Amino acid sequence: CTTYSRLRNIRETPKMPAFEDLFKMELFNKQMQKVSGEDALKGKVILLYFSAHWCPPCRQFTPVLAKFYDQAVAEGKNIACVFVSSDQDENAMKDYFTKEHGNYYALPHGHELADFLSGKYGVRGIPTLMVVKQNGDIIEANGRGQVTSAKTEVCDEWAKAL
């Protein structure tokens, strides 16, 4: 029956990615160990860092973000950062992440959620740092500018938006 075939195909269609998938998946920590997205992100302001090793402005901003993030976490700020790589090569992504980034998390290289997040937040260039709530709503679209020019107290302002 044609109707049955169509219904079966609809049921077999893969689910489109959603922001909430970040909490349901495994991320990597700086040591490339798997970490539950929920354990890493729940209850925190989320920083989504879109970057790549081949991008000169990214390589300039990454140490600034790493220092900011590590200092903020040491001060007890309620934030979590996820690196969303634009690298073409998984080994380059892993090398860049483990050697140059802060002690935060990374989305697995090539994961479909990377394209979804780039589209959702209108990422047109890198580096881009989006600061978002638990439901994915934007707190600050120019996180890069705030991190570059502000002190870690800006994390307290972000947290008020949760």
Side-chain angles (χ1 to χ4, degrees), residues 52-71:
H53 86 283
W54 49 261
C55 165
C58 297
R59 292 183 79 95
Q60 289 178 337
F61 177 66
T62 297
V64 173
L65 175 61
K67 182 179 178 184
F68 174 91
Y69 181 83
D70 291 343
Q71 181 179 345

Side-chain angles (χ1 to χ4, degrees), residues 1 3-4 10 15 48 62 69 71 74-75 78 82 88 91 99-101 110 120 132 137 142 150:
C1 168
T3 304
Y4 174 74
I10 289 170
K15 181 178 114 13
L48 297 173
T62 297
Y69 181 83
Q71 181 179 345
E75 293 172 5
N78 196 28
V82 179
Q88 300 293 323
N91 288 333
K99 292 180 180 173
E100 298 185 41
H101 285 256
K120 175 177 176 61
V132 301
D137 289 350
N142 184 21

Side-chain angles (χ1 to χ4, degrees), residues 59-137:
R59 292 183 79 95
Q60 289 178 337
F61 177 66
T62 297
V64 173
L65 175 61
K67 182 179 178 184
F68 174 91
Y69 181 83
D70 291 343
Q71 181 179 345
V73 169
E75 293 172 5
K77 306 298 183 189
N78 196 28
I79 63 172
C81 184
V82 179
F83 169 46
V84 183
S85 176
S86 294
D87 286 303
Q88 300 293 323
D89 175 86
E90 184 176 9
N91 288 333
M93 173 264 185
K94 288 179 177 180
D95 188 58
Y96 177 47
F97 180 61
T98 58
K99 292 180 180 173
E100 298 185 41
H101 285 256
N103 194 23
Y104 39 86
Y105 306 97
L107 199 64
H109 181 267
H111 196 280
E112 66 182 358
L113 199 54
D115 287 338
F116 169 79
L117 293 170
S118 292
K120 175 177 176 61
Y121 296 110
V123 175
R124 300 284 177 252
I126 54 174
T128 295
L129 183 68
M130 300 296 296
V131 181
V132 301
K133 298 179 183 182
Q134 290 283 293
N135 64 1
D137 289 350

